């Protein structure tokens, strides 16, 4: 149950949509993707506008310091001029129009594009650099040409919403302190305003990636979701507003919140499903991974709003170099602090999909098929991630090329796994 204070603030947030301070809505138009009748089948463009050490380890290797562990420390160490030079080159080359063409040719219909608050609403004193939006503008056009829809994902908030390196800053979770929530809403407003005229392509905006619910005030997270929904609605009445599950149960916790009966429209729940980030999960056998994936089908199907699995992977190990953070090992081979050995990371720490063992290839294909079947029980899925420098279990571009990801998407080498 919501607290009385939360219900009051939620009502205020909804009422504020018609206040004198509200901006006029963009011209009314229908959604350009049928989220009721069609399935989201997409891929994340990770490591592009928000650095992650495991996706592009060479960027961190070339930084000149072992203390560089995220984008914040990267720019802090290099200084703004050098950081801007290096990152501008990265932004222009990591993902290009050819990638969008390949994604469209693989019959994928969505890309989720992570971006940090610092790209759209930078704060004085931050070491981050800007210029991402010029490239993002091009990407919207590339998506349009390829027939792909775009979900813009605010991946990092001021103060860090989870303390993960992929929030921009590894360490303490200080989002919700000081002005950080209002500053995050400023970033949402900037995104909604900038792309209000591109709703034929930009069909969804995610308010915040992976807020770490156990470390946060969840009533305040819910108020932020209502306020963020209102900020998007100030510029467009139909754009889907995506809320992350904050690592809470997608049914028992989130059912009843911001559903069709709550006075809001076009809200989608995002849940991320990985089976590798604790010892118990990474110790599962391949068949147990498949069974766990299949079990999620009924779970996602029972939510009361559109629900997408916005991140998932073919990986059954955490072997990829620096997946757990720069300089950190893996649970799977026991090199991560406090873990115990399950198996070898040979070929999976770094490598290519082509060089994976035949058993690994079989297990990845089987696991991917099970997840596709499960997640399409509701709104659909967005794979993490399109490309990496050296992490074969995660590299969709190469998984497609080597036949480990179904083409067409309905093709099954292991049919009936979730029956």
């Amino acid at each position: 149950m919501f607290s009385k204070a939360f219900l009051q603030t939620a009502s205020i947030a909804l009422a504020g949509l018609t206040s004198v301070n509200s901006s006029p809505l963009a011209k009314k138009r229908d959604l350009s993707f049928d989220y009721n009748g069609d399935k989201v089948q997409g891929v994340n463009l990770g490591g592009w506008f928000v650095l992650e050490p495991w996706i592009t380890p060479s960027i961190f290797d070339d930084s000149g310091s072992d203390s560089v562990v995220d984008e914040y420390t990267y720019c802090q160490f290099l200084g703004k001029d050098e950081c801007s030079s290096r990152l501008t080159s990265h932004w222009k080359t990591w993902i290009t129009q050819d990638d969008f063409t390949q994604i469209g040719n693989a019959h994928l219909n969505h890309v989720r594009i992570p971006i940090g608050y610092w790209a759209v609403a930078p704060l004085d004193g931050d070491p981050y650099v800007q210029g991402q939006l010029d490239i993002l503008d091009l990407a919207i056009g590339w998506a349009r040409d390829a027939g792909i829809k775009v979900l813009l994902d605010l991946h990092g908030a001021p103060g860090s919403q989870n303390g993960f390196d992929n929030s921009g800053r590894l360490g303490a979770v200080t989002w919700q302190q000081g002005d950080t929530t209002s500053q995050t809403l400023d970033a949402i407003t900037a995104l909604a305003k900038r792309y209000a005229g591109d709703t034929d392509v930009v069909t969804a905006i995610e308010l915040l990636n992976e807020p770490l619910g156990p470390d946060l005030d969840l009533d305040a997270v819910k108020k932020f979701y209502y306020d963020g929904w209102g900020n998007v609605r100030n510029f467009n009445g139909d754009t889907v507003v995506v809320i992350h599950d904050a690592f809470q149960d997608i049914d028992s916790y989130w059912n009843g919140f911001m559903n069709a009966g709550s006075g809001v429209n076009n809200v989608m729940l995002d849940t991320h499903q990985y089976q590798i980030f604790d010892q118990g999960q990474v110790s599962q056998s391949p068949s147990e991974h498949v069974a766990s994936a299949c079990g999620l089908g009924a779970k996602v199907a029972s939510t009361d709003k559109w629900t997408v699995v916005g991140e998932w992977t073919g990986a059954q190990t955490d072997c990829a170099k620096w997946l757990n953070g720069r300089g950190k090992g893996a649970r799977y081979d026991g090199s991560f602090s406090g873990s115990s050995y399950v198996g070898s990371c040979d070929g999976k720490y770094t490598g290519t999909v082509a060089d994976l063992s035949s058993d690994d290839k079989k297990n990845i294909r089987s696991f991917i098929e099970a997840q596709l079947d499960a997640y399409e029980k509701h709104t659909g899925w967005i794979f993490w991630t399109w490309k990496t420098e050296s992490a074969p279990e995660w590299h969709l571009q190469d998984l497609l090329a080597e036949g480990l990801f179904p083409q067409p998407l309905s093709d099954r080498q292991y049919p009936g796994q979730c029956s």
Side-chain angles (χ1 to χ4, degrees), residues 212-416:
L212 189 60
D215 287 6
L216 297 169
D217 178 343
L218 284 169
D219 275 354
V221 171
K222 291 173 180 175
K223 180 184 182 303
F224 165 76
Y225 283 163
Y226 267 108
D227 289 343
W229 178 88
N231 285 16
V232 174
R233 288 290 167 267
N234 285 340
F235 295 96
N236 188 276
D238 293 310
T239 298
V240 175
V241 175
V242 184
I243 61 173
H244 186 264
D245 65 16
F247 303 102
Q248 307 300 303
D249 189 275
I250 60 175
D251 299 334
S252 63
Y253 191 85
W254 290 108
N255 276 353
F257 178 77
M258 294 188 84
N259 60 8
S262 65
V264 299
N265 71 315
N266 293 353
V267 172
M268 180 182 293
L269 184 66
D270 175 23
T271 185
H272 297 169
Q273 298 295 331
Y274 297 116
Q275 297 183 25
I276 54 174
F277 290 118
D278 69 48
Q279 188 68 43
Q281 289 183 322
V282 84
S283 299
Q284 291 184 115
S285 68
S287 63
E288 288 172 331
H289 280 293
V290 166
S292 294
C294 291
L296 289 166
K299 188 75 172 174
V300 298
S302 63
T303 60
D304 64 358
K305 59 186 70 66
W306 293 328
T307 299
V308 66
V309 180
E311 292 187 22
W312 60 283
T313 176
Q316 298 182 359
T317 79
D318 63 338
C319 286
K321 178 181 178 180
W322 298 346
L323 180 64
N324 294 304
R326 187 181 184 191
K328 296 182 180 180
R331 296 169 187 83
Y332 192 76
D333 68 358
S335 59
F336 184 82
S337 178
S339 66
S340 55
Y341 183 87
V342 178
S344 171
C345 283
D346 289 350
K348 297 186 282 290
Y349 177 70
T350 61
T352 65
V353 175
D355 289 336
L356 289 170
S357 72
S358 58
D359 282 346
D360 282 337
K361 290 179 179 179
K362 173 184 178 297
N363 292 335
I364 289 172
R365 171 80 189 216
S366 171
F367 188 38
I368 285 172
E369 289 187 12
Q371 291 181 88
L372 296 180
D373 290 343
Y375 305 154
E376 290 189 10
K377 296 293 185 183
H378 206 160
T379 310
W381 47 266
I382 308 176
F383 186 90
W384 189 280
T385 183
W386 173 241
K387 65 195 300 188
T388 72
E389 287 183 340
S390 59
E393 296 175 287
W394 300 77
H395 192 139
L396 179 56
Q397 185 183 44
D398 281 359
L399 291 168
L400 284 163
E402 295 298 325
L404 272 62
F405 203 99
Q407 286 291 286
L409 296 170
S410 59
D411 179 59
R412 293 293 179 268
Q413 293 180 6
Y414 305 96

Side-chain angles (χ1 to χ4, degrees), residues 200-218:
D200 61 315
V201 176
V202 181
T203 56
I205 294 176
E206 184 154 4
L207 300 180
L208 189 58
N209 178 69
E210 294 184 349
L212 189 60
D215 287 6
L216 297 169
D217 178 343
L218 284 169

Side-chain angles (χ1 to χ4, degrees), residues 48-127:
W48 190 13
F49 298 128
V50 179
L51 293 182
E52 298 194 34
W54 71 274
I55 296 178
T56 54
S58 70
I59 289 178
F60 290 81
D61 279 331
D62 294 343
S63 69
S65 173
D66 291 340
S67 66
V68 172
V69 295
D70 52 28
E71 190 160 335
Y72 188 97
T73 52
Y74 183 80
C75 290
Q76 187 179 55
F77 178 77
L78 292 175
K80 287 205 171 187
D81 288 347
E82 183 63 19
C83 184
S84 179
S85 175
R86 294 190 187 194
L87 288 187
T88 298
S89 177
H90 169 67
W91 299 331
K92 289 181 176 180
T93 57
W94 182 243
I95 299 291
T96 67
Q97 185 166 16
D98 182 61
D99 291 290
F100 279 81
T101 300
Q102 291 181 48
I103 291 166
N105 288 342
H107 311 291
L108 301 172
N109 55 35
H110 279 69
V111 291
R112 180 172 178 258
I113 303 181
I115 196 159
Y117 76 88
W118 54 91
V120 290
L123 300 176
D124 291 341
D126 276 351

